[in-house]
Amino acid sequence: MADAPTLRSDLDRLARNLRWFWHEPARQILAELAEPSWDAVGRNPVAIVAGLSDARLEELAADPQRAERIAAAVRDLDEYLGASDTWFDRHGGDRDRLAVYLSAEFALADCLHTYSGGLGVLAGDHVRSASDLGLPFIGVSLAYDDGYFQQRIGADGTQVAEPAPNRWEDLPVAPVLDADGQRLTVEVETGDGVVQVTAWSIEVGRVRVYLLDTGTDPVPAHRAITAPLYGGDNETRLLQELVLGVGGVRLLAALGLHPTVLHLNEGHAAFAGLERLRARLTAGATLAEAVEDARTELVFTTHTPVPAGHDRFPHHLAARHLAPLAERLGVPFERLLELATGEGEPDWNQTVLALHLAGRSNGVARLHGRVSREMWHRLWPGTPVEDVPIGHVTNGVHVERWVGPEVARLVARQVGPGWEHRFEADAWEPIRDLDAAALWAARAAARHRLIAVAQDRLAAQAERLGTVADGAGLDPDALTIAFARRFATYKRATLIARDVDRLARLLTHPDRPVQLLIAGKAHPADRPGQQLIRELVALTHDPRVEGRIAFLEGYDLELGAALTAGADVWLNNPLRPLEASGTSGMKAAMNGVLNLSVLDGWWDEAVSDFADQAEVGFGWAVGGTAEDRDRTTQDAEDAAALYAILEDEVVPTFHDRDAAGVPQRWVAMMKDSIRVLTPPFSTHRMVVDYVERYGLITPALAR
Ligand SMILES: *Cc1c(COP(=O)(O)O)cnc(C)c1O
């Protein structure tokens, strides 16, 4: 029988490897031990284990069932970590190679405030799949002391940005030490002197993620560099990106690691490319030769279809902070500037730098690849636009993390053991035979769980504000439409409210109730985005909609998971083609939550490439493929199309029940969604596409 000290060390091991974040049995064990609750401890299992008294541990150790569950979870983790027959091994992967993924954000767990939104969630899912597939892979990011804000909403709909600090000592991270047991330190030169950079290490399954930290530098201004996540000014941003790119490559070298490929996730990491030039330049290569050579090692993913969204630094800032690096490279700053500028791009532009230094560049969906080629065509004058060297690798999501337990149980039975790692279309064929009543029951259970989560959040908010919670109006059996995303104006959060009377008729129908759940943050500097939140919160109080709309504050990973598993319909209506990919709709699709979306990002591809594999259909396309139209016209047409689909198709299909109360056609659509869309939109598929770009496996062997 386990003794208390063994139990403590076992639990601490479970807590410190973030596999629990996507492996439900381990997560449950840890969450159950939380005092007073999982939420109250910030969903931080390290704090939970540290807070267990010896008496409580004795009690746990004396409960054979509980002790055995914990022991089994630890054995499972050991087996996972020790496996020698991973996908990578089975496909002849070369363990002398190493891919390093540099990203300004990683969403690894709710307790680590190291991400702001979709980019971070994608990076997190990339790491989770890289771990499951067994790749030689490392992630690198920054250790922000102040993470992206936690959102509270005031009674009048005003967004309040509360701090989201990271107290590293209490989190599942460990300091990176040198041979003498001291903090390993690397140096990065800037226009303000040399900055000392230390690192934290995080175990994410079989993968390690390093977070670079300037917090131990003796100079206060240097310590502040890695403090804010996207909160600083342009200069802070430049300095952060120097630490990420240059510091990241130097940290790996200091650890004795030799990456064979660097993946720049967005332009933020582009300075890594400059640091890669250094070894060649010192060995005597010309700049052109060094660039040619570095290109074989660099992979770049761009995520931003909006020209203004790319990092640019004015000449004086770039010159000041890059001059010391240029000197170390032995190249005049103006020559480096040529790499980061081009026709129509006079300022230092990180995307331009990355495009010039990476041998393989891609957007994140087919449509986004095309938009990116058009956007950067001017850098390749004389080249036909279709030959601009930017391809696409369509994003995905991590299946085991995002498929909710209700549907996962059924899918596991149907697809078989290892279902969560299967991304070949054939493997998902048995979903055709899934029992309709069972799937409908799973849908209802997931919806009930979501409504409970929504009511909890609304009650907590009401208590804080001293108001009455209006969550009581939510109905766990009503058709539930969810809209959860960043409040950027191009996403058009208020499109569905263009005609409130028409919306109200839909929501308050006496026999066919419909409800709308909304969540999402607006950037603290985005006034128009915050105004949209205010408008939607005001709408929740409009007597015409009778409490059938709720705005849920504090959109985070856990709420995202509950919404994408528990809604019936996932609504997305950006202005095409401004949504590069969008991954929340993929999470929904795998849960059998039907997408109702404008033909943008991943959905454009889902519909054009996979609709013919559906028996009934896996969702609905709102509007057509027009682009660059007058905004008012486009909004009016898309809103009209949205209402028509809701009234004529979504609501009638949902309420068309058989004698047993099952909406057969709806359930058939759920099956199409799960069967057809899970394999191509899983991050396992995405990471395997990148493995080919990384050259970790000879292309013929991959798959
Ligand atoms: C999946 C997810 C995202 C990204 O989804 P989009 O469709 O790109 O908006 C953002 N935030 C959270 C919390 C998520 O779970």
Side-chain angles (χ1 to χ4, degrees):
M1 201 176 75
D3 56 14
T6 311
L7 207 53
R8 183 185 294 284
S9 83
D10 278 358
L11 287 168
D12 199 53
R13 280 201 56 216
L14 274 187
R16 285 183 183 280
N17 188 311
L18 296 184
R19 182 170 181 246
W20 62 260
F21 181 66
W22 72 95
H23 196 60
E24 189 60 20
R27 196 195 67 86
Q28 264 181 16
I29 286 173
L30 294 163
E32 280 167 13
L33 297 174
E35 300 275 0
S37 72
W38 180 233
D39 284 347
V41 294
R43 303 177 201 141
N44 176 7
V46 168
I48 294 171
V49 177
L52 289 175
S53 65
D54 289 337
R56 177 101 172 90
L57 279 167
E58 298 289 353
E59 197 182 291
L60 291 173
D63 172 350
Q65 246 172 334
R66 178 92 79 140
E68 174 47 32
R69 257 177 79 211
I70 296 170
V74 172
R75 279 197 304 274
D76 179 71
L77 178 63
D78 284 338
E79 271 165 35
Y80 178 85
L81 296 178
S84 56
D85 62 341
T86 66
W87 177 92
F88 191 69
D89 299 305
R90 285 185 275 111
H91 289 78
D94 180 353
R95 293 221 170 261
D96 290 336
R97 301 190 186 207
L98 173 64
V100 172
Y101 182 90
L102 298 112
S103 176
E105 314 181 22
F106 280 95
L108 300 174
D110 279 306
C111 60
L112 284 160
H113 303 132
T114 50
Y115 79 100
S116 80
L119 184 76
V121 178
L122 178 81
D125 279 354
H126 195 127
V127 168
R128 289 182 272 280
S129 277
S131 167
D132 287 345
L133 294 168
L135 305 191
F137 189 92
I138 285 175
V140 176
S141 192
L142 297 177
Y144 306 101
D145 293 332
D146 307 313
Y148 201 60
F149 71 100
Q150 283 178 300
Q151 182 196 50
R152 298 278 176 263
I153 303 288
D156 61 350
T158 302
Q159 172 178 281
V160 181
E162 294 203 338
N166 285 308
R167 279 187 261 284
W168 302 109
E169 297 71 18
D170 304 332
L171 289 165
V173 306
V176 176
L177 305 178
D178 64 18
D180 303 325
Q182 303 298 312
R183 293 292 294 267
L184 183 67
T185 306
V186 297
E187 297 186 333
V188 174
E189 51 281 272
T190 73
D192 293 336
V194 173
V195 176
Q196 310 287 323
V197 181
T198 55
W200 300 93
S201 152
I202 312 182
E203 287 172 55
V204 190
R206 302 173 176 121
V207 165
R208 222 168 254 279
V209 173
Y210 293 106
L211 304 183
L212 301 156
D213 190 351
T214 62
T216 57
D217 191 294
V219 181
H222 293 176
R223 287 204 291 277
I225 294 174
T226 54
L229 171 48
Y230 296 159
D233 55 14
N234 211 20
E235 183 166 20
T236 305
R237 182 99 163 192
L238 193 163
L239 292 168
Q240 287 188 333
E241 294 184 10
L242 269 173
V243 170
L244 174 64
V246 178
V249 174
R250 289 182 186 168
L251 175 81
L252 296 169
L255 288 167
L257 296 167
H258 304 287
T260 49
V261 61
L262 297 181
H263 185 167
L264 314 177
N265 188 40
E266 197 50 303
H268 310 135
F271 291 137
L274 294 183
E275 175 64 8
R276 281 309 260 197
L277 299 177
R278 194 159 61 92
R280 277 116 180 168
L281 291 167
T282 355
T286 66
L287 181 60
E289 287 163 356
V291 168
E292 244 355 273
D293 210 23
R295 282 169 56 78
T296 61
E297 295 174 352
L298 293 176
V299 172
F300 170 49
T301 300
T302 176
H303 293 261
T304 314
V306 189
H310 296 261
D311 270 339
R312 292 179 174 83
F313 302 119
H315 185 275
H316 71 277
L317 265 191
R320 200 160 89 74
H321 287 299
L322 291 165
L325 180 64
E327 191 176 334
R328 186 132 182 224
L329 293 170
V331 176
F333 168 74
E334 297 300 328
R335 297 284 313 280
L336 294 185
L337 182 66
E338 285 168 16
L339 289 171
T341 53
E343 185 62 37
E345 284 297 333
D347 287 334
W348 183 289
N349 180 318
Q350 290 287 68
T351 300
V352 174
L353 178 64
L355 287 169
H356 281 147
L357 291 180
R360 284 143 296 174
S361 297
N362 63 274
V364 289
R366 183 193 300 131
L367 179 60
H368 179 238
R370 194 207 80 202
V371 169
S372 301
R373 286 190 291 281
E374 287 165 1
M375 187 154 58
W376 301 111
H377 187 199
R378 59 182 186 276
L379 299 178
W380 284 272
T383 303
V385 66
E386 59 276 16
D387 294 339
V388 168
I390 305 176
H392 73 275
V393 174
T394 304
N395 283 166
V397 296
H398 187 268
V399 175
E400 188 178 1
R401 175 61 188 91
W402 297 109
V403 175
E406 301 85 359
V407 168
R409 211 168 297 129
L410 295 182
V411 169
R413 207 182 301 152
Q414 214 59 25
V415 176
W419 66 277
E420 65 274 44
H421 304 303
R422 307 290 296 271
F423 56 100
E424 330 82 76
D426 293 0
W428 289 72
E429 277 301 303
I431 295 294
R432 284 181 194 277
D433 308 322
L434 192 54
D435 180 66
L439 184 54
W440 185 240
R443 160 77 19 262
R447 190 191 315 104
H448 280 236
R449 181 165 60 85
L450 167 61
I451 299 305
V453 168
Q455 283 169 337
D456 278 355
R457 291 222 177 188
L458 291 167
Q461 181 190 24
E463 190 176 312
R464 200 185 65 245
L465 296 172
T467 57
V468 178
D470 38 21
L474 296 177
D475 174 355
D477 296 312
L479 165 52
T480 302
I481 302 173
F483 180 95
R485 48 199 69 254
R486 186 162 57 89
F487 272 73
T489 47
Y490 77 85
K491 298 187 190 242
R492 302 191 293 185
T494 53
L495 192 76
I496 196 170
R498 248 180 105 87
D499 181 343
V500 176
D501 289 317
R502 194 167 174 185
L503 175 63
R505 280 198 296 280
L506 195 76
L507 297 178
T508 61
H509 189 286
D511 318 315
R512 301 165 154 189
V514 179
Q515 60 199 354
L516 179 59
L517 298 181
I518 304 167
K521 298 176 178 176
H523 189 278
D526 180 4
R527 298 281 153 200
Q530 289 169 51
Q531 181 55 30
L532 294 179
I533 293 180
R534 244 181 243 110
E535 286 171 31
L536 286 169
V537 170
L539 185 63
T540 64
H541 302 307
D542 189 314
R544 287 173 291 179
V545 302
E546 290 174 17
R548 295 211 174 274
I549 306 180
F551 193 104
L552 307 176
E553 63 179 12
Y555 186 40
D556 57 20
L557 300 169
E558 195 152 288
L559 183 56
L563 285 163
T564 49
D568 297 291
V569 172
W570 195 254
L571 176 64
N572 188 22
N573 41 231
L575 198 61
R576 177 182 155 120
L578 298 183
E579 180 95 306
S581 162
T583 54
S584 56
M586 304 174 186
K587 300 170 192 164
M590 299 176 181
N591 280 285
V593 174
L594 303 180
N595 277 270
L596 171 60
S597 171
V598 161
L599 284 169
D600 200 7
W602 82 283
W603 186 242
D604 176 72
E605 201 164 314
V607 171
S608 72
D609 289 12
F610 299 102
D612 64 345
Q613 292 175 34
E615 280 185 6
V616 184
F618 46 58
W620 298 273
V622 177
T625 55
E627 288 164 25
D628 299 327
R629 300 252 303 274
D630 160 63
R631 170 77 190 258
T632 316
T633 317
Q634 189 73 57
D635 286 0
E637 282 186 13
D638 288 347
L642 176 59
Y643 290 129
I645 296 172
L646 283 168
E647 291 161 353
D648 302 340
E649 301 189 44
V650 177
V651 175
T653 311
F654 185 85
H655 287 286
D656 179 15
R657 308 292 167 91
D658 68 7
V662 178
Q664 287 292 343
R665 191 178 163 82
W666 188 280
V667 175
M669 291 183 75
M670 291 175 62
K671 287 200 218 173
D672 277 343
S673 179
I674 296 169
R675 172 177 61 86
V676 178
L677 298 177
T678 305
F681 296 104
S682 85
T683 28
H684 280 28
R685 186 277 308 151
M686 177 191 84
V687 167
V688 168
D689 285 352
Y690 279 117
V691 161
E692 295 179 16
R693 295 187 157 237
Y694 296 161
L696 291 185
I697 299 183
T698 11
L701 287 176
R703 261 178 224 282

